[in-house]
Amino acid sequence: MQKNVDLKSKTSFKIGGVADYFFAVHNSLELQLALDFAREKQIKPFIFGSLTNVLLPDKNLPLVIQLQAHNNLDNLEDELEQNQGEITVWAGEQMAALAWATVRAGWFGLADFASLPGSVGGALWNNAHYGAAFISDVLVSVTYYDLQRQQLMKKPVTELNFAYDQSWFQDQSVVITEATFRLQKAQDSAALTHQALASTTKRKTSQPYDLPSAGCFWRNPRNTDHLRQLFPQFAALENVSAGFLIEQAGLKGKKVGGAQVSEVHAAFIVNAGGATNGDVRKLARLIKQTVAEKFNINLQPEVVLV
């Protein structure tokens, strides 16, 4: 446990205040000990993974618990072989590190997530996706800590209501602690590596990596008859790119304080220098209002607004 920890330096957005108490936890036991401390102090805990997909307030948070990687991936290949493609990992592990470890071991299923920022738990909470691939596609089950029952529990993937940018966890008072995935043995290890490298290259060339952000800020909205009339090239799509709509609304590069609509990908809000929570929220409101007026679309944030 640490006191007075600067959260700004720990977030990918480089926005946030100070944690009065900060716990870095690396397994379920440490998580429960941190939660015991919070209950003893009667302080509401804020629980995060890698802090890559959140917008923190500028003010202090009383108690923060962060699930951090313990890099226990050394025996991954043996575990995959022994369990016929099944592997159970701690939710605080970095998603990209896990994906690359499975690629090196020669197993197919997570290669598309080799450049995904954030933790395994965060990827599950938001059902991370790349193209048509969703993290839930290769998921077997999830172990989580129920904050009300104060115990570890487990659910199969069929009971977790996964959908586009959605999961059962988003409406629950729980903390994801472990995930079990089922992968397939790759027939061509070179092709598997190429797939991982291709997804990494595409992300780096199509997304803003030069400035701090919390990733894609907006969910891609459902397509509508009105949008199909305006943009017939997307008529067959179920969802339309939020970045495309924002750019068509004339907002690419728009700034409010230190927050800016990315010049690279308009679905990203970036910290162009000294941005605050207030700057980002004002810009987000402007984007939401403008897109609603022009296209009758109600954009929803993908980033968690704390």
Side-chain angles (χ1 to χ4, degrees):
M1 185 266 286
Q2 304 170 58
K3 293 183 178 180
N4 301 319
V5 171
D6 176 30
L7 295 173
K8 184 183 299 184
S9 63
K10 293 184 175 293
T11 71
S12 63
F13 225 154
K14 304 307 176 190
I15 294 173
V18 171
D20 297 334
Y21 293 99
F22 181 87
F23 286 83
V25 302
H26 306 87
N27 52 55
S28 296
L29 176 59
E30 290 182 3
L31 172 63
Q32 292 179 64
L33 291 172
L35 291 169
D36 288 344
F37 178 89
R39 281 190 288 270
E40 290 170 8
K41 293 287 187 178
Q42 297 184 336
I43 301 174
K44 176 186 175 181
F46 289 83
I47 306 168
F48 302 108
S50 296
L51 288 165
T52 56
N53 198 41
V54 298
L55 173 63
L56 295 183
D58 298 315
K59 65 180 182 180
N60 287 15
L61 294 179
L63 192 152
V64 169
I65 299 173
Q66 185 181 30
L67 277 64
Q68 294 186 352
H70 53 42
N71 300 315
N72 190 23
L73 302 174
D74 294 340
N75 299 320
L76 179 141
E77 186 171 2
D78 291 340
E79 185 177 347
L80 283 166
E81 294 289 350
Q82 292 170 7
N83 298 323
Q84 298 181 323
E86 283 199 5
I87 182 171
T88 298
V89 295
W90 165 243
E93 297 295 349
Q94 293 298 294
M95 193 64 236
L98 171 64
W100 273 112
T102 64
V103 168
R104 288 192 294 270
W107 290 82
F108 173 80
L110 295 175
D112 284 330
F113 304 98
S115 62
L116 186 72
S119 65
V120 170
L124 294 173
W125 191 90
N126 211 37
N127 195 17
H129 53 88
Y130 177 83
F134 287 81
I135 194 73
S136 56
D137 293 342
V138 291
L139 185 67
V140 176
S141 62
V142 176
T143 300
Y144 59 91
Y145 186 84
D146 189 305
L147 293 169
Q148 294 179 332
R149 298 184 183 184
Q150 298 181 26
Q151 63 182 21
L152 288 168
M153 304 185 73
K154 189 175 185 178
K155 277 185 180 291
V157 63
T158 53
E159 296 180 13
L160 294 174
N161 301 333
F162 283 109
Y164 175 76
D165 282 343
Q166 294 180 5
S167 72
W168 174 83
F169 302 106
Q170 295 173 4
D171 300 317
Q172 306 296 319
S173 182
V174 303
V175 184
I176 299 169
T177 59
E178 283 186 336
T180 298
F181 299 98
R182 181 179 291 119
L183 309 180
Q184 300 294 323
K185 188 68 174 178
Q187 299 300 314
D188 187 338
S189 58
L192 185 64
T193 301
H194 176 76
Q195 180 182 348
L197 289 172
S199 67
T200 301
T201 301
K202 185 175 180 180
R203 285 183 191 274
K204 288 185 176 181
T205 55
S206 64
Q207 298 178 3
Y209 276 80
D210 58 328
L211 292 171
S213 76
C216 185
F217 197 90
W218 303 101
R219 296 179 180 179
N220 290 332
R222 298 276 296 197
N223 209 345
T224 65
D225 291 340
H226 180 57
L227 288 178
R228 288 186 174 95
Q229 290 177 355
L230 290 175
F231 310 110
Q233 67 269 38
F234 303 133
L237 298 182
E238 184 176 350
N239 296 85
V240 177
S241 165
F244 174 81
L245 295 178
I246 294 166
E247 185 171 353
Q248 292 300 306
L251 294 173
K252 198 169 188 180
K254 178 68 177 177
K255 291 186 70 174
V256 172
Q260 182 180 24
V261 177
S262 170
E263 296 274 12
V264 178
H265 192 316
F268 285 68
I269 294 179
V270 297
N271 184 346
T276 65
N277 177 291
D279 293 340
V280 174
R281 285 180 179 268
K282 287 177 184 176
L283 182 55
R285 285 195 293 269
L286 174 63
I287 295 168
K288 190 179 178 76
Q289 179 180 349
T290 305
V291 170
E293 291 172 351
K294 286 185 176 290
F295 305 118
N296 195 29
I297 289 294
N298 182 27
L299 288 180
Q300 295 297 321
E302 182 176 315
V303 170
V304 178
L305 310 178
V306 181

